[in-house]
Amino acid sequence: MTAVRNDRTPRGGDRRERTAQRLLASSSANSYDPDLDIDWDAPVEDGLAFLPFERVSLYGTRLWDELTDQQRIELSRHELASIAGTGLWFEIILIQMLARYAYHRDPQSAHTQYALTEIGDETRHVIMFAKAIERMGVPTYRPPAFVHHLARLYKATARGTAVFAPVLVAEEITDRIQRETMRDESIHPLIRMVNRIHVVEEARHVRFARDEIARLMPRLGPVRTLVNNTAAAIVSAFVISVLMNPEVYRAVGLDPREAARVARANPHHRETRRWMAEKIMAFLDEQGMVTWSSRPIYRLVHLL
Ligand SMILES: [Fe+2]
Ligand SMILES: [Fe+2]
């Protein structure tokens, strides 16, 4: 007999069902169709940035000082495209992991139905980011081939907190930037609208994943906790490390390797990473996911 977890039984918890019901109600009341809700034909004006300058990876360095204002805007365009390209790569990973998650669960439970709803949200986000990248006239920046292939192993095998913690890191670090820029009038209006849509829908995903971590952590034994905490930190480190594709620097005439080295050593950029990760790292710490095996990894990539 196939074991389908019946999440409506007390084992799954009423609290989890109530949260899922709230998230489902909010999804049907407040979701976007980027095809209709974004004016894709609006002209992409010149002279507006795509990221606040102080969030660009080279800000504060000598290389940055030597760029003209036009080049700074150009770099912000490519860096935003790299963030969007990496973001949509991770969203496709999440779609597969959520489908695997739902496979084992009772489709009648609100909890499973919310996981399926989130697949729908992420599908629209991937298309929205891809269209925005196309509209900005920049290439689709992707992670290096070995990370692309390593992620295949991850998305096929990860379970529980090792799924939800890196997902939260990816979602919450981009969310921090998007919240900052969605009301910033110096940022391109197309990008502000994309960010606004994403922020609204991601707030539900964050609630869902945070609740799962809080529910699962007390149930894990010491070995599983150690394995998942370490795996979550390694995957999160990969995500933040591939966020900025070095090829972005070529767009403003810089040597990609040299500029990437300057960005990695840039104290201002390190501070930006910690700022982006501030809320999610506090949560993971609170939940017992930042311990002796994972903390050094988060520190190494400046998420802590
Ligand atoms: Fe998303
Ligand atoms: Fe999401």
Side-chain angles (χ1 to χ4, degrees):
M1 215 179 124
T2 317
V4 170
R5 244 163 270 176
N6 184 347
D7 290 334
R8 288 169 305 153
T9 59
R11 185 173 168 267
D14 290 342
R15 202 181 94 86
R16 184 161 68 145
E17 277 300 277
R18 279 200 303 276
T19 304
Q21 279 156 0
R22 257 203 325 276
L23 293 173
L24 283 168
S26 158
S27 302
S28 59
N30 201 6
S31 288
Y32 290 89
D33 180 348
D35 247 353
L36 305 174
D37 295 322
I38 293 179
D39 180 4
W40 294 105
D41 296 325
V44 178
E45 309 120 77
D46 280 337
L48 288 173
F50 294 79
L51 274 176
F53 280 170
E54 63 274 20
R55 302 293 173 208
V56 176
S57 64
L58 292 178
Y59 181 86
T61 65
R62 191 180 48 79
L63 285 181
W64 177 262
D65 294 340
E66 288 167 3
L67 295 177
T68 64
D69 244 22
Q70 200 45 49
Q71 284 177 311
R72 289 171 179 177
I73 289 176
E74 195 53 16
L75 185 57
S76 78
R77 182 204 303 266
H78 285 262
E79 290 207 357
L80 180 79
S82 181
I83 294 172
T86 311
L88 80 80
W89 163 74
F90 206 76
E91 284 175 324
I92 295 174
I93 292 176
L94 175 56
I95 289 169
Q96 179 171 341
M97 293 196 300
L98 286 168
R100 278 179 49 223
Y101 184 78
Y103 181 75
H104 298 288
R105 282 170 174 79
D106 181 358
Q108 292 187 36
S109 88
H111 185 73
T112 312
Q113 289 175 11
Y114 186 72
L116 295 166
T117 301
E118 188 169 322
I119 292 175
D121 291 353
E122 298 297 16
T123 304
R124 294 192 309 277
H125 296 169
V126 171
I127 296 170
M128 171 173 77
F129 287 132
K131 287 179 86 152
I133 292 169
E134 184 192 358
R135 198 71 192 88
M136 286 191 287
V138 278
T140 306
Y141 291 109
R142 293 170 149 279
F146 86 98
V147 177
H148 176 88
H149 290 293
L150 210 55
R152 295 170 65 195
L153 177 69
Y154 168 66
K155 67 192 167 78
T157 58
R159 288 164 40 189
T161 54
V163 167
F164 290 106
V167 163
L168 277 171
V169 170
E171 289 182 331
E172 295 202 34
I173 59 176
T174 42
D175 189 69
R176 194 102 207 245
I177 282 238
Q178 291 180 325
R179 277 178 196 274
E180 186 183 66
T181 52
M182 67 186 191
R183 290 185 207 89
D184 183 341
E185 304 232 320
S186 69
I187 301 297
H188 201 281
L190 169 70
I191 302 309
R192 290 208 311 263
M193 187 59 189
V194 165
N195 289 349
R196 194 170 303 127
I197 289 176
H198 204 240
V199 162
V200 168
E201 300 190 342
E202 288 302 315
R204 297 191 289 261
H205 303 176
V206 166
R207 176 81 279 135
F208 184 73
R210 281 189 174 216
D211 274 19
E212 272 301 275
I213 287 180
R215 189 181 67 83
L216 291 170
M217 276 307 282
R219 302 178 179 204
L220 299 183
V223 175
R224 183 42 80 177
T225 302
L226 175 67
V227 170
N228 280 15
N229 284 3
T230 314
I234 292 172
V235 175
S236 303
F238 270 113
V239 171
I240 189 76
S241 303
V242 300
L243 198 59
M244 213 50 78
N245 186 317
E247 286 301 308
V248 297
Y249 304 114
R250 209 186 286 281
V252 290
L254 295 172
D255 174 56
R257 287 177 69 142
E258 167 65 6
R261 196 189 55 72
V262 170
R264 270 197 304 275
N266 179 8
H268 195 275
H269 181 54
R270 291 178 174 183
E271 197 43 59
T272 295
R273 281 189 179 191
R274 281 188 288 268
W275 168 79
M276 290 197 294
E278 195 179 12
K279 289 184 182 168
I280 180 56
M281 291 316 302
F283 173 77
L284 294 181
D285 194 13
E286 212 173 87
Q287 294 297 321
M289 291 199 74
V290 183
T291 51
W292 64 269
S293 71
S294 56
R295 183 175 286 112
I297 302 171
Y298 289 122
R299 284 236 170 93
L300 185 71
V301 294
H302 311 290
L303 289 173
L304 271 180

